[in-house]
Structure formats: structure tokens, C-alpha cells
Amino acid sequence: MNLNSGELIQALRQQDHLYTLTEMAGDSLHTRVIGVITSVLHSKGDGIEAVSAP
């Protein structure tokens, strides 16, 4: 995941910060939804003040 990408950050916001992870073991796949990201900021889109705020 490249969080330097403004496009990826916008996509995460649109899907409530959820993404999927697919693991392959042998010839089986296991996919699950990951929900550990609660917010994302981007210095160009949100402003450096938002990113550097405590």
C-alpha cells in the first residue's frame, strides 16, 4: 500500500478506510476485510497543517 498516493487515500476514504487482504496457502485463497485504518491525511490534499497537527 502506498499512502503517498493521493488517489489511494481518496479511495480509502470512499470505502470507509477498509481494504482487503488475500492470503494464498498452497492452492487455497483466504480473503478478509481489514479495518484498522481510522483516518488518512495527505499533505497536498489536506494541507500540511492537518498532517502535522498533534
Side-chain angles (χ1 to χ4, degrees):
M1 195 184 301
N2 177 2
L3 292 181
N4 291 321
S5 166
E7 292 177 17
L8 177 60
I9 288 175
Q10 186 60 29
L12 281 171
R13 287 176 177 161
Q14 291 174 353
Q15 58 201 37
D16 295 325
H17 306 105
L18 301 173
Y19 63 96
T20 58
L21 172 70
T22 301
E23 299 174 294
M24 184 169 61
D27 51 341
S28 68
L29 295 175
H30 177 72
T31 301
R32 57 188 168 144
V33 176
I34 307 296
V36 297
I37 298 174
T38 59
S39 67
V40 290
L41 296 172
H42 190 265
S43 62
K44 290 183 182 175
D46 298 306
I48 192 66
E49 297 83 15
V51 176
S52 61

